[in-house]
Amino acid sequence: DAGITQSPRYKITETGRQVTLMCHQTWSHSYMFWYRQDLGHGLRLIYYSAAADITDKGEVPDGYVVSRSKTENFPLTLESATRSQTSVYFCASGAGGTLSTDTQYFGPGTRLTVL
Amino acid sequence: GNSVTQMEGPVTLSEEAFLTINCTYTATGYPSLFWYVQYPGEGLQLLLKATKADDKGSNKGFEATYRKETTSFHLEKGSVQVSDSAVYFCALSVMNRDDKIIFGKGTRLHILP
């Protein structure tokens, strides 16, 4: 399917477990982003990537790991999940270039609950 | 630093009412400004954008004008519909070494039939 997809859409896990959230885009966009959305905080950037094998920290990177071996995939891993990581996670992509005028395209989100 | 402040919600209006959602920003350099919309159960999608002062972005009956003198980018619509019920995010991006979009906290809009 064309566009940007996330899997799973819903995930329940336990404290201390490792969890990987998947993100796949079919546009060959250079940039990809991971955000978390929490009530009262809006949208906060976790990590982003300007191209394959290039990643950088966002506003709230602690407890998360990303990789980008292929342009189209940008998985987010919670190495040891904590209750504070219960959130809705959104992946986004953008064509890049002059990023300041670029549009980001968002996936449908993954709702993660850590018990 | 760069930041976006938008009015807190929720905002509740009747159908066909006039809508304004306020957004002001602080930025170093020359930002591009955006409004994104999030419908229930979905991710964000771009509603409109403006890349320089005095530009007006428009889409689906919504408009916002980039006002550099007041550092504002208020969202307006002349006659809202029930289908406009969503969360609206004001955002900015300033081209620098860390090219990122800074989002406001979002304003939830409820339109009553």
Side-chain angles (χ1 to χ4, degrees):
Chain A
D1 291 345
I4 182 165
T5 57
Q6 294 183 235
S7 62
R9 293 293 312 278
Y10 303 90
K11 177 73 176 178
I12 300 174
T13 191
E14 295 178 339
T15 301
R17 290 191 179 266
Q18 183 179 80
V19 177
T20 296
L21 309 184
M22 304 301 293
C23 179
H24 175 79
Q25 53 105 354
T26 60
W27 292 302
S28 298
H29 283 165
S30 298
Y31 283 81
M32 295 188 75
F33 308 83
W34 274 107
Y35 296 90
R36 58 179 290 174
Q37 184 177 30
D38 304 288
L39 205 61
H41 291 281
L43 220 60
R44 293 182 290 177
L45 182 65
I46 304 170
Y47 268 96
Y48 68 108
S49 168
D53 298 321
I54 300 174
T55 62
D56 210 345
K57 295 179 180 179
E59 181 184 355
V60 288
D62 293 343
Y64 302 95
V65 174
V66 294
S67 62
R68 192 150 176 226
S69 58
K70 293 184 178 180
T71 299
E72 61 266 30
N73 296 324
F74 191 40
L76 175 74
T77 297
L78 289 65
E79 293 187 299
S80 178
T82 64
R83 290 200 181 97
S84 65
Q85 292 177 310
T86 293
S87 186
V88 181
Y89 291 85
F90 287 98
C91 179
S93 71
T98 307
L99 185 65
S100 63
T101 61
D102 196 26
T103 299
Q104 289 188 14
Y105 299 86
F106 283 76
T110 294
R111 183 174 294 275
L112 176 68
T113 302
V114 183
L115 302 176
Chain B
N2 301 326
S3 66
V4 174
T5 303
Q6 60 182 107
M7 61 190 292
E8 292 188 18
V11 173
T12 302
L13 296 172
S14 297
E15 204 166 23
E16 299 184 3
F18 184 86
L19 168 71
T20 299
I21 299 178
N22 291 337
C23 172
T24 57
Y25 67 89
T26 302
T28 54
Y30 301 95
S32 293
L33 301 173
F34 309 83
W35 277 101
Y36 279 80
V37 58
Q38 183 181 28
Y39 297 105
E42 299 182 9
L44 280 70
Q45 55 185 275
L46 181 70
L47 180 60
L48 53 84
K49 67 181 182 182
T51 58
K52 60 183 188 294
D54 299 324
D55 268 3
K56 177 185 284 188
S58 61
N59 186 24
K60 299 182 180 180
F62 290 89
E63 293 183 341
T65 301
Y66 188 145
R67 302 284 188 200
K68 186 178 177 183
E69 63 276 11
T70 55
T71 63
S72 65
F73 192 55
H74 304 322
L75 182 67
E76 296 181 336
K77 186 174 185 182
S79 176
V80 293
Q81 306 300 313
V82 172
S83 57
D84 294 327
S85 297
V87 181
Y88 292 81
F89 292 87
C90 186
L92 70 82
S93 179
V94 179
M95 188 172 158
N96 56 26
R97 192 180 74 84
D98 297 318
D99 292 326
K100 295 186 288 287
I101 291 183
I102 309 298
F103 288 89
K105 292 187 176 181
T107 301
R108 184 174 297 276
L109 175 66
H110 294 292
I111 305 299
L112 304 175

